[in-house]
Amino acid sequence: MPIYSFKWSGEELPTEVDLPDEHAAWSEAVMTLGQMLRELDGSFPTEGELEMEVQSGTGATVGWILVKTGKGRPPRGHQN
């Protein structure tokens, strides 16, 4: 099976996992993020950022997830 790496913001080394394909790697990323957010138990900072990048064994980016928080509501159509 191909190896996929998961690199979280703030971590030095990526986590490597054998998975059958990119779809499985993306599903793993989403499930892992959900688990991490549950484990935070309300302690995520009001203004913070958590980012994860999924890469194939060749180093190609499969996708990335960004969770960004801030105070108040962002303007409609906010892109950052």
Side-chain angles (χ1 to χ4, degrees):
M1 273 196 277
I3 294 177
Y4 291 89
S5 61
F6 300 84
K7 175 84 164 119
W8 293 96
S9 52
E11 287 187 1
E12 290 294 317
L13 299 173
T15 301
E16 294 184 343
V17 180
D18 290 329
L19 294 165
D21 56 30
E22 288 185 3
H23 183 314
W26 185 250
S27 293
E28 182 70 21
V30 172
M31 289 187 297
T32 301
L33 176 64
Q35 180 67 31
M36 286 183 70
L37 290 173
R38 280 189 293 281
E39 290 173 3
L40 287 174
D41 195 28
S43 63
F44 198 74
T46 306
E47 295 184 29
E49 193 171 288
L50 176 64
E51 184 177 356
M52 182 189 54
E53 182 179 1
V54 181
Q55 291 186 339
S56 69
T58 64
T61 299
V62 172
W64 54 270
I65 300 172
L66 174 64
V67 177
K68 189 171 185 174
T69 60
K71 293 183 179 180
R73 288 186 62 83
R76 187 172 179 86
H78 177 71
Q79 302 271 331
N80 209 19

